[in-house]
Amino acid sequence: MYEVFDVAVVGGGPCGAIAAMHLARQGLSVALIDPENRIKPCGGAIPSRLLTDYAIPESLLVSKANAARIIAPSGKTVEMRIGDIGYVGMVDRATFDPYLRARAEAAGARRIRARAESLEYRSDGALQINLSSPSGDRTSRIAARQVIGSDGANSTVRRQMFPAARKPPYVFAYHEIVETPVEPDPALFRPDRCDVIYDGQISPDFYGWVFPHGRQTSIGCGSAVKGHDLRKATSELRRAAGLNDARVIRREGAPLPLKPMRRWDDGRSILLAGDAAGTVAPSSGEGIYYAMLCGKLSADAVSLSLATNKASALKQARRSFMRDHGRVFFILGLMQTIWYRNDRLRERFVSMCADPDVQRLTWQSYLDKKLVRSDPFAHARVFLKDTAQLFANLAGQK
């Protein structure tokens, strides 16, 4: 016989760790399954409110960014300063994820350092999860009444238990973590600023980034275009930032889903969450905040499903997420579709970022994680400017 848990959380990133912690605090028996042998490629940016929302100590931040520099294909730059309304915190997933897993364990979750290889429903309705050790030399199994699949964009839970057609669209992200120079060239790189590069040579359909992580820096880019050389593009980003000679600490790559799936549950006992459910913001690629939110919402839905013995309760997670953030995801997806298509449009997009209304609404929406409704006239001005830019571009193509 093997142990049966109330809930098995497959994947111990920010989403899974938060879900496991909340479920364990409710007195449920929870298995948190993660091989703990891989760091996800990630720019590491989080809004300052995340520290309050999820009781994250500020000591986990490796740096704070107070501005973003937007760079156009022509080399034109626009600096967007945040002001006194908050900041962009930077975390290193190599330390951030283990902290969250340890906190889940302290709440009562059982940490199982293994990889989920396959899942199957037993005759009694419970789910059997077949595991292998990180080295692959040992196998084991557990069972659970409910499963949360928070095991990333290449989710084993989704591939095993959901139709292939439900796979969300992706870009592939690649980055290099390098040592930050002791005295970087301030004209090229600043440790308190995130650089975002919109250039078809760097990414024909997404963007590149240079994000400060204190003593380290994340440099990378993403694209869904097959054959685009992400490593070459990253090398160019390093050169442009004056970091070409910086020592490389690690290189990482992974797919990045950019659209929430239409359904996150299987109608029985499985719920997808975080990257596995596609909850990475289009246009920006932001994922940590939304992953942690998904973890909390998934824990609430699973807890309700177990308490009521109703599988329909699992739908609550997606319903709650889309109610609060669906419009933001739609608008960001529209922005990516319109403005990331070619360098002419990217150039105009960067020009728009110089507008004070655009900057203020962008930062307020990012930091508050909701559309700003308090200034309808600013929204109207932005809409008119945005439309004028688009029609100007279309006229220029004739």
Side-chain angles (χ1 to χ4, degrees):
M1 252 339 253
Y2 44 95
E3 193 167 0
V4 180
F5 294 85
D6 291 321
V7 187
V9 180
V10 181
C15 179
I18 288 291
M21 181 186 71
H22 279 284
L23 288 164
R25 285 179 176 175
Q26 296 175 44
L28 297 169
S29 60
V30 181
L32 177 57
I33 303 165
D34 193 280
E36 302 187 6
N37 60 358
R38 186 173 184 272
I39 305 168
K40 181 191 171 182
C42 177
I46 60 172
S48 50
R49 68 166 289 179
L50 183 144
L51 276 68
T52 301
D53 289 354
Y54 297 98
I56 302 299
E58 194 170 314
S59 59
L60 278 177
L61 298 181
V62 292
S63 66
K64 294 180 181 179
N66 300 305
R69 182 173 65 162
I70 314 301
I71 304 174
S74 65
K76 174 184 177 180
T77 65
V78 171
E79 185 153 312
M80 300 174 63
R81 300 208 65 81
I82 298 176
D84 59 0
I85 62 174
Y87 57 84
V88 178
M90 309 303 295
V91 298
D92 188 337
R93 297 292 294 274
T95 54
F96 188 66
D97 290 19
Y99 166 82
L100 295 176
R101 287 193 288 268
R103 196 165 68 164
E105 184 176 34
R110 174 89 63 80
R111 284 170 72 176
I112 300 178
R113 292 166 176 81
R115 180 179 293 103
E117 298 291 351
S118 62
L119 299 87
E120 55 191 279
Y121 276 104
R122 302 191 317 185
S123 58
D124 62 358
L127 281 148
Q128 177 179 310
I129 307 168
N130 301 307
L131 308 171
S132 66
S133 63
S135 60
D137 59 348
R138 289 178 288 108
T139 60
S140 59
R141 57 185 177 177
I142 64 168
R145 296 167 62 198
Q146 300 266 6
V147 167
I148 294 177
S150 54
D151 49 339
N154 282 324
S155 170
T156 295
V157 176
R158 190 189 63 236
R159 285 187 284 108
Q160 288 267 328
M161 308 303 288
F162 288 76
R166 294 195 187 179
K167 180 180 179 180
Y170 297 89
V171 299
F172 194 86
Y174 170 81
H175 81 157
E176 297 177 0
I177 296 290
V178 305
E179 283 186 347
T180 304
V182 176
E183 296 182 358
D185 184 343
L188 302 178
F189 171 84
R190 285 215 325 254
D192 65 342
R193 182 188 67 203
C194 296
D195 285 357
V196 184
I197 300 90
Y198 296 101
D199 184 337
Q201 297 299 310
I202 298 300
S203 172
D205 56 338
F206 203 54
Y207 66 85
W209 67 83
V210 180
F211 287 176
H213 284 192
R215 290 180 295 180
Q216 302 174 0
T217 298
S218 166
I219 309 170
C221 55
S223 177
V225 176
K226 291 184 178 180
H228 182 68
D229 194 333
L230 297 174
R231 289 200 174 204
K232 181 180 178 181
T234 299
S235 294
E236 175 57 27
L237 290 172
R238 290 181 59 184
R239 184 199 63 76
L243 301 173
N244 207 38
D245 296 328
R247 184 177 72 89
V248 178
I249 297 170
R250 62 181 191 265
R251 296 180 173 91
E252 299 153 349
L256 193 67
L258 292 179
K259 187 176 182 179
M261 291 173 56
R262 295 182 64 85
R263 183 168 180 173
W264 298 359
D265 68 285
D266 72 340
R268 296 178 66 181
S269 303
I270 301 175
L271 179 62
L272 299 177
D275 282 16
T279 58
V280 175
S283 180
S284 68
E286 182 192 1
I288 296 177
Y289 179 88
Y290 294 116
M292 294 174 75
L293 173 64
C294 270
K296 173 63 167 62
L297 295 177
S298 297
D300 291 343
V302 165
S303 179
L304 180 61
S305 178
L306 289 171
T308 61
N309 200 31
K310 291 183 178 179
S312 59
L314 297 178
K315 298 182 185 300
Q316 173 183 291
R318 186 185 189 278
R319 189 180 299 122
S320 297
F321 184 91
M322 298 304 291
R323 181 189 63 227
D324 292 340
H325 301 282
R327 182 178 293 184
V328 171
F329 272 53
F330 173 77
I331 290 173
L332 291 175
L334 195 62
M335 282 178 53
Q336 182 173 338
T337 299
I338 293 174
W339 297 110
Y340 291 12
R341 287 184 297 172
N342 56 55
D343 278 353
R344 182 194 295 268
L345 285 165
R346 293 184 189 97
E347 199 74 38
R348 291 190 178 275
F349 175 72
V350 172
S351 295
M352 283 198 316
C353 292
D355 184 270
D357 288 326
V358 170
Q359 293 194 16
R360 178 165 55 84
L361 293 176
T362 296
W363 285 126
Q364 287 179 338
S365 296
Y366 172 79
L367 293 169
D368 293 340
K369 284 291 165 279
K370 59 185 177 182
L371 294 177
V372 179
R373 302 177 185 275
S374 59
D375 191 348
F377 292 107
H379 281 286
R381 290 193 296 271
V382 169
F383 173 76
L384 291 173
K385 294 168 186 173
D386 191 17
T387 303
Q389 289 277 11
L390 180 59
F391 276 108
N393 180 74
L394 293 174
Q397 291 180 339
K398 291 181 179 179

